[in-house]
Amino acid sequence: MAQQYKVLRFIGVPVVQTANGQYEIKRDQAGQFKLHGWRIGKHTKGHYQAPGQIFLTENQMRVAIVAAFDVSFKKRHRYQPMARFLSESVPVDVLQTAQAQLDSN
């Protein structure tokens, strides 16, 4: 049997770094943004700390964690795995903007 590991699912929002080094939500041409889902994979590097933390996807996109949920090991394949946690976080106002969209859905 395969070695099981704790699986967390994250709702995240893609972010970009501004010229002053801060992070902001990556928006489309209409100024909108979408939330997406990822999960911890077997080879994910680093550790989850709190909402607002940034992680890298397998395609090297930076994503801010908006919310985290436990997932059954058997259901892990429903979600795209992420690559690595970073020690960086987004400002509180960026997190609150993304969480407001999550709450409205």
Side-chain angles (χ1 to χ4, degrees):
M1 185 167 149
Q3 182 180 0
Q4 293 189 7
Y5 53 90
K6 180 172 175 63
V7 180
L8 289 174
R9 173 176 71 101
F10 301 107
I11 302 298
V13 62
V15 293
V16 293
Q17 202 165 20
T18 62
N20 66 1
Q22 294 293 316
Y23 285 97
E24 64 183 29
I25 295 172
K26 184 177 181 180
R27 297 176 182 267
D28 62 19
Q29 293 176 340
Q32 303 298 312
F33 64 91
K34 293 182 181 178
L35 301 174
H36 302 278
W38 285 273
R39 68 169 171 91
I40 291 176
K42 184 175 184 177
H43 301 289
T44 298
K45 306 289 188 241
H47 299 284
Y48 171 63
Q49 296 168 353
Q53 182 179 4
I54 297 173
F55 68 82
L56 288 177
T57 67
E58 292 179 332
N59 295 329
Q60 304 303 308
M61 180 172 51
R62 292 176 188 260
V63 176
I65 298 170
V66 178
F69 308 94
D70 287 322
V71 173
S72 161
F73 186 78
K74 292 179 181 179
K75 295 180 180 178
R76 71 190 185 284
H77 291 294
R78 294 181 183 179
Y79 308 100
Q80 181 70 28
M82 50 162 293
R84 92 174 22 250
F85 289 103
L86 301 178
S87 58
E88 302 169 288
S89 295
V90 295
V92 173
D93 61 322
V94 172
L95 178 60
Q96 289 173 340
T97 300
Q99 286 175 331
Q101 181 164 327
L102 178 65
D103 293 340
S104 69
N105 289 340

